[in-house]
Amino acid sequence: MKKISIVIGLYNSERTIEAVLKEIDSAFAQSEAYCYEVVLVDDHSPDGVYPLVKSLAEQDPRIKVIHLAKNAGQTNAVIEGYRYATGEFVVEMDDDLQMPAYEILHMLQVLEEGNYDVVFAKYPEQKESAFRLFGSKVNNKMTEIMLGKPKHIRVNSFFVMRKFIKDGIIKYANNYPYMYGIIFALTKNVANVEVEHRARTNGKSNYTLKKLLGLWMNGFLNYSVQPLRLAAYLGVGITVISFLVAIALVIERLIFPPRALGWTSLMVVILFFSGVQLLSIGLVGEYIGRLFISASGLPRATVKETVNIDSEESQNG
């Protein structure tokens, strides 16, 4: 039987994770082709999810638990979980019951039959708030423009991948990881499978506007120099326009008598050019700052405690 590792980041999921685990077990109970393990990463959740999953893991050796010393964010948490995943295939899914576990077998079938490297879930109807739907659209458009994602592919946090993709992800050393950026740097051999997306049954999304902006910034800056090129193109464009305006003003001065220039228009021009300069300097500074932090070697996540993980597995990847 082929082994599947299912990695789930935990945050405010005390009320849902037990049902998620039961659904996973039910989905694989009738499968003769696959066995599974679940790697649960407690991202220093403020609720009581860690004692709960620790107790469940002590009763079921297929459940591995990683307890982080501080909140590291969803992407860093699941990447830490990948280090302990030993399956031939790796699944990432959320902890909120919106992603049906029974769809995993369908996604695995498509991945193997199509010889794909990664298969993402695609929701015909995504049952989220307008805010999250907008965030998903921005995320998909950004990965298309900045990372070369095929236009017909939709990305989200429910996907199946081969082990070599997982191994490539955990080698990523930058302190600002963007999962889809890493995946599309490793492969373009990806596909979608339409799956059901359930309505949220408990609480609300953990992604605030601040977290979404941080996620977009990681994708915007970490995997492309296009922002710097855009700033350069903008600078060239403004220089050309300024040169043409200067010529027009000289011609006007030669043809027409001198007249007083408007203070308001002058201030608008000065403020505009100042904004462009500050934006360009800020972009350069952000790149340099990220390089500095990544070069410092600071860990993205720190494991405080594990359950059902031996020392050999901790060296995986």
Side-chain angles (χ1 to χ4, degrees), residues 251-265:
I251 294 174
E252 182 185 30
R253 181 65 178 269
L254 293 175
I255 297 176
F256 301 102
R259 53 186 175 182
L261 297 176
W263 182 87
T264 302
S265 59

Side-chain angles (χ1 to χ4, degrees), residues 106-299:
H106 182 204
M107 295 165 70
L108 284 166
Q109 180 184 2
V110 172
L111 183 136
E112 293 209 77
E113 291 180 355
N115 197 30
Y116 295 110
D117 298 328
V118 184
V119 169
F120 290 96
K122 182 179 181 181
Y123 306 126
E125 181 184 1
Q126 191 170 353
K127 298 177 181 179
E128 288 284 8
S129 66
F131 171 69
R132 283 303 307 275
L133 290 174
F134 172 74
S136 296
K137 288 181 180 179
V138 172
N139 189 50
N140 271 279
K141 181 57 67 173
M142 182 177 66
T143 53
E144 181 182 315
I145 296 173
M146 305 293 292
L147 308 175
K149 175 184 74 67
K151 290 185 177 181
H152 66 283
I153 295 293
R154 297 284 293 182
V155 297
N156 59 71
S157 55
F158 189 19
F159 58 90
V160 180
M161 60 184 164
R162 296 183 183 272
K163 181 179 181 296
F164 84 91
I165 297 293
K166 180 267 293 186
D167 292 340
I169 292 173
I170 62 180
K171 290 177 182 176
Y172 183 75
N174 193 291
N175 282 60
Y176 299 89
Y178 182 66
M179 185 65 73
Y180 313 124
I182 306 173
I183 288 175
F184 286 109
L186 295 170
T187 183
K188 293 293 194 298
N189 184 27
V190 302
N192 274 138
V193 171
E194 288 197 355
V195 305
E196 175 192 6
H197 190 249
R198 297 166 172 162
R200 190 177 297 276
T201 59
N202 179 67
K204 60 182 181 179
S205 171
N206 291 315
Y207 270 101
T208 61
L209 177 61
K210 181 180 179 181
K211 289 183 178 180
L212 282 175
L213 288 175
L215 180 68
W216 295 338
M217 283 292 286
N218 288 345
F220 191 65
L221 297 176
N222 280 26
Y223 304 90
S224 173
V225 294
Q226 289 194 40
L228 290 176
R229 289 174 180 167
L230 179 62
Y233 295 151
L234 183 61
V236 171
I238 291 175
T239 300
V240 171
I241 293 173
S242 301
F243 180 72
L244 295 176
V245 170
I247 293 175
L249 291 174
V250 170
I251 294 174
E252 182 185 30
R253 181 65 178 269
L254 293 175
I255 297 176
F256 301 102
R259 53 186 175 182
L261 297 176
W263 182 87
T264 302
S265 59
L266 180 62
M267 288 299 102
V268 169
V269 171
I270 291 174
L271 290 173
F272 174 74
F273 284 109
S274 298
V276 171
Q277 290 175 333
L278 289 173
L279 174 63
S280 302
I281 293 171
L283 277 175
V284 174
E286 186 69 25
Y287 274 104
I288 294 174
R290 286 169 178 254
L291 286 171
F292 173 77
I293 292 173
S294 297
S296 71
L298 290 172

Side-chain angles (χ1 to χ4, degrees), residues 51-109:
L52 172 62
V53 295
K54 182 178 180 180
S55 174
L56 295 173
E58 289 169 349
Q59 302 169 40
D60 188 345
R62 295 173 301 178
I63 300 175
K64 300 178 178 180
V65 178
I66 302 164
H67 178 45
L68 299 185
K70 60 173 290 188
N71 181 259
Q74 183 180 14
T75 302
N76 285 324
V78 294
I79 290 178
E80 197 62 34
Y82 291 165
R83 300 184 189 280
Y84 302 87
T86 59
E88 184 176 344
F89 302 100
V90 178
V91 178
E92 182 184 331
M93 65 185 297
D94 289 348
D95 56 356
D96 54 12
L97 281 172
Q98 289 192 274
M99 302 169 179
Y102 62 80
E103 296 283 13
I104 294 174
L105 295 175
H106 182 204
M107 295 165 70
L108 284 166
Q109 180 184 2

